Amino acid sequence: MVFKYTYKFLFLVLFLLVSAGVTAQVTVVSGKVTDGGNKDGLPFVSVSFAGTTIGVTTNGQGYYKLTSTQPQTKIKVSYIGFKDATYNVAPGVEQVINIRMIPTSTQLGQVTIKGAKKSKYVNDNPAVALIRKVIENKEKNRPEAYNFVEYKEYDKMQFSLSNISDKVKEKRLFRKYKFMFENKDSTTYPGKTLLPIYLKERLSQVYYRKNPEATRDVILGEKSVDFGPGFDTEGVGQYFKHLYEKVDIYDNSILLLGRQFLSPIANSAPTFYKFFITDTVTLDNGKKLVELSFTPRNTNDILFEGQIFITLDGNYAVQKAGLRINKNINVNFVRSMNVDQDFELNPDGRYHLSRSNTFADFGITEKRKSGLFGTRTLTRKNYAVNIPHQDTLYKARPELGDEELRNRPESFWAENRLDTLTTAESKVYKNIDSLVHMPSFRRTADIINLLFAGFKNFGKFEIGPASTFYSFNPVEGLRLRVGGRTTADFSKRIFLEGYGAYGFKDDRWKYQFATTYSLNNKSIYRFPQHYIRASFQRDTKIPGQELQYAQEDNFLLSFKRGKNDKYLYNDAYRIDYVSEFENHFSYKLGLKKLTQTPTGSLYPFINTAGTNIFQHLTTSEVSAGIRYAPNEQFYQGKLFRAPIINQYPILSLDFTMGLKNVLGGEYGYKKIDFRGDKRFYIAPFGFADVVLEGSKTFGQVPYPLLNVHRANQTFAYVIDSYNLMNFLEFVSDHSVAINIDQHFGGFFFNKIPLFKKLKWRETMSFKALYGGLSNQSTPSLHPNLYQFPVDENGVPITYALGKTPYMEGSVGVENIFKFIRVDAVRRFTYLDHPGIAPWGIRVKIKFDF
């Protein structure tokens, strides 16, 4: 499933595998850029033809060469810390212009540098005393300190290929796409020549109320590039948005790249950071600021370094911040990442965030200059405080339709865009639209989609997933399958899906057909969902196997340890109704008829007395469930949706009732299931994913209707299953369980030179399951119940949990080759059961930064 929402990113990375080259010459300017103070060459200085997007950056010695096929008359030179310069050039000829850059003073005003002899750092110093004042005043400086706050927010996310050589467009593969390579920007970020390929804009009005607390984000307009049906452009945006979370420096922790960084003004910041007073500043309005620089005490911890400017007006507010991620931390593909924030003085006398720009340079290696450069810029204006509104304004309600929001005219954006687009950004919509309409690009997109997502798109429908076309197991032998689903191009309300499969050993056809009707005129994969679904499935099932997002007939899951012949043929009729709300509360209702027919070593069902054989078991169920996942986010594309794990809890409660003598149901029973998920960030020790579960079944039922605990006999490490438990080994009618999966993020390995270079990371997990079987569902006490399965020698292979809980744990290493996790798993209890594995090695594929 990971590749399902990251293959688009991998496609972009393919552009990084390009090399250097040159272009034709008409106007050529070359020379050396030096520091006017010491005459040393300056690297990464931006040199461009004025009024164009044609530019380059100087090399390590300060040399540059600038070429244009059009007559040019001026060049512009810019570099952080130096004054911009403009020089006249002779059009249409080759010339040499050497440039001396003049240092510039800070634009903030007068600066007085506080110098001191270098000495051992102590926590009892003026800088720490000042940061403690900032911490003490944090709450009153946040917008949430007011009873009511509102503002307009413009969110711009842009990704570019960076430092791509001009020679690329001359390569045969890219000759048709030359127009894309003309749209370069070498001035916005000195040292980077950017080729924009993705842009998304969003304008919204935000309302906040303290009591009762509520935040309403009213979307006014959205605009994004669209790579066509071969790509889930929406999924790309959600994935990058997760990497570039909104940064609130007043929070104790800041989420970036899926990691939790400790804020430099967190309550515990003095314990983890070193602080220094480096400047005192007087603004043009006479306000005084102090610049505090900070660095991590331990450079291997997930911390920032940088500067913050603090007001000396008694509020100790942040007026400006520059944060850089520590280069020594264990992250993949990230050369650098910065967060620049500006706060404006508002009429109420407080500083509110006016602009936040997060930008990062991604690349395969440190040495290679080319890569991917991404920015997310938030601009906020029109703050208004303590203006109450009616309660209905703060309640979530249906916004304008997606199509209306996404089709705002250009005049709307010209009037309402709170930030300006660069020349290169303004062209990206037209360029990508032209690219998508090229047959060669669509063919390439189809290949990429098939390789990484497993589906081949045909416009109104697509075929897949490819990983299930071929598999095998002991009951079916060789299994071939083909399936597909309709897309939004077929209908935005009706979605059809299905597959057909054939087992050559059991000589049986399996198939599924489902139709889903959207009740809110949105894709059923988009939040909030509101749909009704009807389905029928006839297929094999291993009791207790739950694979989360993977298909059970995935080819790689055909390989299993131990005996694997406990199967059921299931005929399942289902009707499901799902309704989600804007506050992330949802409920579902269901009606299901299930006929289970034993096969493999489970055949036949037989009662404990040995007097009756049952060819199948039929049940009819009604179900209801509620779920609450505050602030839940999704990787959400056109034809998929997967949750993004964050720090907020996910709680669910499900009730199921078996209906006897209704639609052929043979048993009456009730069942309650509870589950709670929560990620705990434990700086600087990474994070832990914790799951608590509870289940209770009321009524007398045979073992297939009990809680068959999730087992795993594959060689993949499955987070939600017991990886050394055999299929159908344990059943219960009451149970509680805890699952802890700890990720240290390299906290220990970063201190070992070899492991630090490899960027390996440590993991540890523990799982415990406690439960049992009441007398009413114990087969030995009730001869009419099905006996538990036994092997060919009559030895039981299914058990009720006793007084001792089932427990297993693991230690592992993740991030091997950037995407592999390997765990050594150990089983601690019930080691006397036949056919079990007391320990094992399990592997998980996981792409992460």
Side-chain angles (χ1 to χ4, degrees):
M1 181 63 190
V2 173
F3 287 116
K4 199 168 186 179
Y5 50 75
T6 58
Y7 75 91
K8 312 92 181 175
F9 174 75
L10 296 178
F11 173 70
L12 300 181
V13 173
L14 294 177
F15 282 99
L16 311 182
L17 307 177
V18 295
S19 55
V22 296
T23 57
Q25 298 182 7
V26 175
T27 303
V28 181
V29 186
S30 61
K32 184 176 183 180
V33 181
T34 58
D35 186 330
N38 55 30
K39 299 183 180 179
D40 292 338
L42 289 175
F44 307 118
V45 177
S46 176
V47 185
S48 63
F49 287 115
T52 75
T53 60
I54 302 171
V56 296
T57 57
T58 58
N59 64 14
Q61 291 74 44
Y63 290 99
Y64 73 95
K65 186 174 183 179
L66 191 60
T67 304
S68 174
T69 57
Q70 301 296 325
Q72 305 290 345
T73 59
K74 292 181 183 293
I75 61 170
K76 182 179 179 181
V77 188
S78 59
Y79 194 58
I80 295 176
F82 293 83
K83 293 181 179 179
D84 289 352
T86 303
Y87 293 84
N88 293 325
V89 300
V93 299
E94 186 170 348
Q95 57 218 281
V96 175
I97 299 180
N98 294 316
I99 301 164
R100 294 181 62 189
M101 301 294 288
I102 307 301
T104 182
S105 59
T106 176
Q107 296 180 355
L108 292 172
Q110 182 181 356
V111 177
T112 304
I113 299 177
K114 302 290 186 179
K117 291 183 179 180
K118 188 175 181 180
S119 59
K120 183 178 180 180
Y121 181 83
V122 293
N123 226 23
D124 186 14
N125 67 67
V128 175
L130 180 58
I131 205 67
R132 292 192 189 282
K133 282 289 186 181
V134 176
I135 295 170
E136 182 182 327
N137 288 271
K138 275 198 312 182
E139 294 307 316
K140 76 176 186 181
N141 286 314
R142 307 183 71 167
E144 291 81 4
Y146 297 98
N147 291 324
F148 302 92
V149 179
E150 58 188 85
Y151 53 86
K152 187 171 285 187
E153 180 179 84
Y154 172 68
D155 187 349
K156 180 178 70 174
M157 188 177 299
Q158 187 253 100
F159 285 87
S160 303
L161 299 176
S162 66
N163 295 335
I164 298 298
S165 167
D166 286 337
K167 192 175 180 180
V168 173
K169 64 183 179 182
E170 302 301 332
K171 292 182 177 291
R172 184 175 181 180
L173 180 63
F174 298 109
R175 286 176 185 171
K176 295 181 180 179
Y177 312 124
K178 278 188 177 183
F179 66 94
M180 290 287 297
F181 294 92
E182 300 295 337
N183 189 36
K184 291 184 178 180
D185 177 4
S186 61
T187 60
T188 304
Y189 292 90
K192 293 291 177 186
T193 300
L194 305 179
L195 177 66
I197 56 172
Y198 178 85
L199 180 64
K200 181 174 183 178
E201 302 174 88
R202 176 176 174 175
L203 183 70
S204 59
Q205 182 73 26
V206 180
Y207 298 92
Y208 171 80
R209 181 184 63 190
K210 181 186 288 186
N211 190 23
E213 189 170 32
T215 301
R216 175 91 186 283
D217 192 345
V218 181
I219 303 173
L220 304 177
E222 285 185 337
K223 189 175 184 179
S224 174
V225 299
D226 188 352
F227 287 98
F231 284 90
D232 282 314
T233 308
E234 188 74 15
V236 174
Q238 290 295 333
Y239 182 74
F240 284 133
K241 187 177 179 181
H242 173 57
L243 300 181
Y244 285 71
E245 294 280 0
K246 293 182 179 180
V247 174
D248 183 355
I249 196 170
Y250 285 105
D251 276 341
N252 284 329
S253 59
I254 296 171
L255 279 173
L256 291 171
L257 304 172
R259 303 289 194 89
Q260 187 183 51
F261 290 79
L262 190 72
S263 169
I265 60 173
N267 295 342
S268 59
T271 304
F272 295 94
Y273 286 102
K274 294 179 181 179
F275 293 92
F276 307 90
I277 295 178
T278 49
D279 287 347
T280 58
V281 179
T282 301
L283 299 175
D284 294 337
N285 58 10
K287 298 279 187 180
K288 290 186 178 294
L289 307 174
V290 172
E291 182 188 37
L292 280 178
S293 296
F294 54 90
T295 61
R297 289 175 177 266
N298 186 333
T299 57
N300 294 315
D301 291 342
I302 303 177
L303 301 168
F304 293 107
E305 57 187 13
Q307 301 81 30
I308 52 175
F309 291 82
I310 307 301
T311 66
L312 294 180
D313 57 359
N315 291 318
Y316 299 99
V318 177
Q319 190 269 347
K320 187 179 181 67
L323 314 178
R324 301 181 298 277
I325 67 169
N326 170 23
K327 292 184 178 180
N328 293 315
I329 65 174
N330 190 332
V331 293
N332 296 326
F333 312 118
V334 182
R335 297 185 181 122
S336 65
M337 191 169 200
N338 297 59
V339 181
D340 291 336
Q341 294 195 315
D342 293 293
F343 296 76
E344 284 186 355
L345 182 64
N346 280 259
D348 61 350
R350 297 298 175 90
Y351 284 88
H352 299 318
L353 180 67
S354 59
R355 182 180 174 87
S356 179
N357 186 29
T358 304
F359 54 98
D361 184 16
F362 301 92
I364 300 296
T365 65
E366 291 288 339
K367 295 181 180 180
R368 197 179 187 97
K369 292 182 179 180
S370 59
L372 186 70
F373 193 86
T375 66
R376 185 182 187 187
T377 304
L378 293 170
T379 306
R380 293 177 179 175
K381 290 186 178 180
N382 304 333
Y383 275 93
V385 299
N386 291 334
I387 300 176
H389 296 281
Q390 293 182 352
D391 288 347
T392 53
L393 179 68
Y394 301 98
K395 295 179 180 179
R397 57 187 179 186
E399 308 290 356
L400 295 173
D402 286 351
E403 292 302 318
E404 185 175 353
L405 289 173
R406 296 184 184 192
N407 287 284
R408 297 292 197 189
E410 184 53 41
S411 59
F412 169 86
W413 291 104
E415 295 174 6
N416 293 279
R417 190 179 278 129
L418 302 184
D419 194 6
T420 57
L421 297 181
T422 66
T423 303
E425 286 174 340
S426 64
K427 296 179 180 179
V428 71
Y429 291 117
K430 181 179 179 181
N431 283 352
I432 296 301
D433 184 66
S434 300
L435 183 71
V436 169
H437 285 86
M438 297 178 67
S440 59
F441 176 81
R442 291 200 298 269
R443 287 193 297 268
T444 303
D446 280 347
I447 295 173
I448 298 296
N449 198 38
L450 181 63
L451 289 176
F452 291 102
F455 284 89
K456 173 65 175 72
N457 186 278
F458 292 95
K460 293 185 177 182
F461 69 97
E462 57 183 26
I463 292 177
S467 60
T468 64
F469 289 166
Y470 166 81
S471 61
F472 57 88
N473 62 67
V475 170
E476 297 177 274
L478 168 64
R479 173 185 167 113
L480 300 180
R481 165 178 154 165
V482 62
R485 59 192 180 185
T486 62
T487 70
D489 291 336
F490 172 79
S491 172
K492 294 181 180 178
R493 279 193 175 271
I494 300 174
F495 293 83
L496 308 176
E497 61 181 297
Y499 67 81
Y502 184 76
F504 285 82
K505 182 176 180 180
D506 64 354
D507 197 25
R508 287 196 181 198
W509 284 97
K510 294 87 181 177
Y511 44 86
Q512 182 216 29
F513 178 77
T515 180
T516 307
Y517 182 76
S518 173
L519 298 170
N520 59 2
N521 202 27
K522 287 186 177 182
S523 166
I524 59 172
Y525 302 99
R526 289 186 59 82
F527 176 84
Q529 294 179 333
H530 190 203
Y531 64 79
I532 186 168
R533 185 175 191 267
S535 65
F536 172 74
Q537 183 181 39
R538 171 170 291 171
D539 211 336
T540 56
K541 169 73 175 176
I542 301 176
Q545 178 171 263
E546 299 291 343
L547 296 172
Q548 294 174 280
Y549 304 112
Q551 300 284 340
E552 291 188 10
D553 49 1
N554 186 301
F555 169 73
L556 295 177
L557 300 181
S558 299
F559 303 92
K560 295 182 173 68
R561 62 172 177 85
K563 294 195 66 174
N564 173 41
D565 59 356
K566 297 177 280 293
Y567 277 75
L568 298 169
Y569 289 118
N570 284 352
D571 283 4
Y573 300 84
R574 296 181 62 104
I575 297 178
D576 296 283
Y577 171 79
V578 175
S579 180
E580 289 182 335
F581 296 91
E582 295 281 353
N583 62 357
H584 294 275
F585 174 84
S586 63
Y587 70 93
K588 60 183 179 180
L589 303 172
L591 175 63
K592 176 182 177 181
K593 178 182 178 181
L594 175 65
T595 298
Q596 303 179 67
T597 303
T599 187
S601 63
L602 293 183
Y603 179 83
F605 291 147
I606 185 170
N607 65 355
T608 306
T611 56
N612 290 318
I613 291 177
F614 305 89
Q615 298 296 331
H616 52 75
L617 169 64
T618 299
T619 54
S620 298
E621 296 178 343
V622 292
S623 62
I626 57 175
R627 184 176 184 270
Y628 183 51
N631 299 296
E632 186 173 30
Q633 297 173 301
F634 300 97
Y635 301 114
Q636 188 167 289
K638 295 178 179 178
L639 289 172
F640 75 89
R641 190 181 87 163
I644 299 172
I645 301 176
N646 56 28
Q647 71 270 38
Y648 299 100
I650 301 175
L651 306 174
S652 62
L653 182 66
D654 294 286
F655 173 76
T656 304
M657 177 183 289
L659 305 175
K660 188 174 183 179
N661 299 323
V662 176
L663 299 176
E666 299 175 33
Y667 288 89
Y669 53 89
K670 299 179 180 66
K671 186 178 180 182
I672 296 177
D673 294 285
F674 167 80
R675 176 172 173 133
D677 295 68
K678 177 76 169 70
R679 171 167 288 184
F680 294 90
Y681 287 95
I682 316 167
F685 301 103
F687 62 87
D689 290 325
V690 179
V691 179
L692 293 175
E693 293 182 285
S695 178
K696 173 65 177 175
T697 301
F698 303 88
Q700 187 181 76
V701 293
Y703 78 83
L705 303 182
L706 295 171
N707 189 3
V708 181
H709 294 290
R710 296 187 299 269
N712 176 33
Q713 286 185 227
T714 73
F715 295 98
Y717 186 82
V718 181
I719 298 294
D720 257 8
S721 296
Y722 301 96
N723 289 283
L724 292 179
M725 182 186 290
N726 287 344
F727 293 132
L728 205 56
E729 184 177 356
F730 289 102
V731 295
S732 69
D733 62 7
H734 60 276
S735 64
V736 292
I738 184 170
N739 180 348
I740 303 173
D741 190 36
Q742 171 70 41
H743 300 254
F744 291 99
F747 178 80
F748 299 105
F749 284 173
N750 283 350
K751 299 170 177 62
I752 303 173
L754 176 60
F755 288 172
K756 180 179 179 180
K757 186 175 181 179
L758 293 171
K759 291 191 174 183
W760 288 0
R761 303 167 188 166
E762 323 83 345
T763 64
M764 182 180 295
S765 71
F766 175 76
K767 301 176 183 180
L769 170 65
Y770 177 80
L773 198 58
S774 61
N775 289 339
Q776 64 179 346
S777 292
T778 301
S780 60
L781 301 178
H782 299 278
N784 61 308
L785 290 174
Y786 298 176
Q787 67 172 253
F788 284 167
V790 297
D791 65 13
E792 63 274 10
N793 299 316
V795 178
I797 58 174
T798 299
Y799 305 85
L801 283 164
K803 294 182 179 180
T804 301
Y806 173 89
M807 294 187 293
E808 69 177 40
S810 73
V811 293
V813 178
E814 61 182 347
N815 207 44
I816 301 173
F817 303 119
K818 311 296 186 187
F819 63 92
I820 297 175
R821 170 178 172 174
V822 178
D823 281 76
V825 191
R826 174 69 173 160
R827 175 168 168 163
F828 301 122
T829 55
Y830 297 99
L831 300 178
D832 57 338
H833 285 186
I836 62 99
W839 70 276
I841 301 296
R842 300 291 178 266
V843 179
K844 181 177 177 63
I845 304 299
K846 180 185 178 185
F847 177 85
D848 199 1
F849 282 92

